[in-house]
């Protein structure tokens, strides 16, 4: 699949975590993200993961909709602090 980038995923203590999935704008809304993540979730379940979690930026409404469609619920939100160097 072209247009998707997954930078990391992991399994730890029965949890399957997904981080930093990016879809090129020309390939959005075509079901690629759904197919990718759904396949990953099936793989995780077959490999003894008990639960899955995903990190998504609060303002990324399309991604949040996708994760909701896949059965994810909001548990809590992160607050990031940034220090800029001059």
């Amino acid at each position: 699949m072209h247009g998707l980038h997954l930078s990391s995923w992991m399994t730890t203590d029965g949890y399957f975590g997904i981080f930093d999935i990016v879809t090129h704008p020309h390939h959005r809304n075509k079901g690629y993200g759904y197919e990718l993540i759904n396949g990953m979730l099936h793989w995780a379940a077959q490999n003894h993961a008990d639960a899955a979690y995903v990190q998504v930026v609060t303002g990324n409404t399309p991604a949040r909709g996708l994760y909701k469609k896949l059965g994810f619920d909001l548990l809590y939100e992160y607050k990031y602090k940034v220090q800029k160097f001059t």
Side-chain angles (χ1 to χ4, degrees):
M1 252 182 272
H2 298 284
L4 286 172
H5 172 76
L6 171 65
S7 68
S8 60
W9 59 271
M10 61 185 270
T11 56
T12 305
D13 297 327
Y15 289 94
F16 179 72
I18 303 170
F19 311 91
D20 197 23
I21 296 178
V22 179
T23 305
H24 189 280
H26 291 30
H27 297 283
R28 292 181 184 158
N29 299 311
K30 296 182 180 179
Y32 300 144
Y34 180 90
E35 290 299 321
L36 173 68
I37 298 168
N38 193 44
M40 294 171 69
L41 294 172
H42 283 290
W43 176 89
Q46 292 172 351
N47 286 275
H48 312 292
D50 298 314
Y53 63 94
V54 62
Q55 290 181 327
V56 60
V57 176
T58 302
N60 191 342
T61 304
R64 291 178 68 155
L66 171 62
Y67 299 131
K68 184 171 182 67
K69 183 177 177 181
L70 286 160
F72 288 92
D73 291 316
L74 178 64
L75 183 59
Y76 60 90
E77 295 180 355
Y78 279 101
K79 301 292 183 191
Y80 290 95
K81 307 254 186 228
V82 176
Q83 177 183 2
K84 294 186 178 185
F85 300 110
T86 56

